[in-house]
Amino acid sequence: MKVGYVRVSTIDQNIERQTKKMESMNVEKIYIEKSSAKDIEGRPELKSLLDFVREGDTVYIHDFSRLARSTKDLLDITEMLAEKRVELVSFKESIDTSTPTGRLMLTMIGAINEFERTNLLERQKEGIFLAKEMGKYVGRKPIPFPENWEEIYNMWKSREITAITAMKVLKLKKSTFYKLLKNWTDK
């Protein structure tokens, strides 16, 4: 059976280019995921695909970056497929893992993709650092204090209420509550 895996990083991104290619290759079943490829754990559709495929099936992907962001994950996924005797075909890289050359190229491309991703993150950090030095990057906007902050803060400080109660009354998440608390006490 021909099985396809389509993934975009965010809900806003378009899957049409990938699905059209799958349809043109007569892929019978397509798993569609709209999430980051950080790791396999956060991708239920990929897990379903891996459970579904059987010996003799072929998994089609647009390119290796749709399947994994790290060489380790890419190799782990392809190993899982190989153990089930399932082939993997990437349209962009024109690689078929049923051949020794295809498996070698898969490893090399996975390493290059991981290297590119690491370099991109490094450049991003450098850009943010330079922008901060030039005063052009100020980060997130500060979270405003709720209207009744001072009243609830005083009740919490005098131990009339717990932090959990204060968070509920203020409708704040734990991290936001403690961030505001730190900012309040630093004044």
Side-chain angles (χ1 to χ4, degrees):
M1 181 175 201
K2 291 181 173 182
V3 181
Y5 180 69
V6 170
R7 187 189 66 78
V8 290
S9 298
T10 65
I11 296 169
D12 301 338
Q13 288 179 322
N14 194 326
I15 60 169
E16 193 173 329
R17 178 177 54 117
Q18 292 180 60
T19 53
K20 281 189 183 229
K21 183 65 176 177
M22 298 286 174
E23 290 165 6
S24 75
M25 296 298 292
N26 299 317
V27 173
E28 301 159 77
K29 184 169 179 67
I30 301 173
Y31 290 84
I32 298 174
E33 197 105 67
K34 292 189 176 186
S35 69
S36 173
K38 185 178 173 188
D39 58 35
I40 195 170
E41 293 307 312
R43 296 188 285 154
E45 290 300 310
L46 178 58
K47 283 183 165 185
S48 294
L49 177 144
L50 294 171
D51 289 339
F52 176 80
V53 291
R54 303 285 181 261
E55 182 176 343
D57 289 347
T58 302
V59 173
Y60 291 86
I61 55 172
H62 181 264
D63 64 69
F64 291 123
S65 72
R66 302 297 90 209
L67 194 59
R69 281 279 186 233
S70 72
T71 305
K72 181 187 180 312
D73 279 348
L74 182 61
L75 295 176
D76 288 347
I77 292 166
T78 55
E79 188 177 319
M80 285 183 240
L81 294 172
E83 286 172 3
K84 291 182 149 197
R85 292 192 159 88
V86 172
E87 302 304 331
L88 176 65
V89 174
S90 169
F91 299 131
K92 185 177 177 183
E93 290 91 1
S94 299
I95 291 178
D96 182 343
T97 61
S98 64
T99 67
T101 304
R103 287 189 295 275
L104 172 65
M105 291 304 294
L106 169 80
T107 304
M108 291 169 56
I109 289 170
I112 291 167
N113 283 346
E114 184 177 356
F115 176 73
E116 285 177 354
R117 177 82 178 141
T118 304
N119 281 340
L120 174 99
L121 293 173
E122 187 70 27
R123 286 191 305 273
Q124 184 181 36
K125 285 179 188 174
E126 289 170 2
I128 290 170
F129 177 77
L130 290 172
K132 280 181 178 179
E133 280 192 339
M134 293 167 48
K136 293 181 179 180
Y137 182 89
V138 291
R140 278 188 164 172
K141 291 180 181 176
I143 301 164
F145 289 98
E147 279 185 36
N148 54 343
W149 171 263
E150 194 166 359
E151 175 190 347
I152 301 301
Y153 169 78
N154 289 331
M155 290 172 71
W156 170 79
K157 190 168 182 179
S158 64
R159 300 181 189 268
E160 292 175 48
I161 60 172
T162 64
I164 293 170
T165 304
M167 289 175 225
K168 284 181 185 174
V169 171
L170 295 167
K171 296 179 181 145
L172 296 174
K173 293 179 183 175
K174 184 178 182 178
S175 58
T176 306
F177 175 76
Y178 284 106
K179 186 177 228 173
L180 288 175
L181 188 62
K182 182 184 182 313
N183 291 344
W184 187 261
T185 57
D186 286 348
K187 281 184 172 185

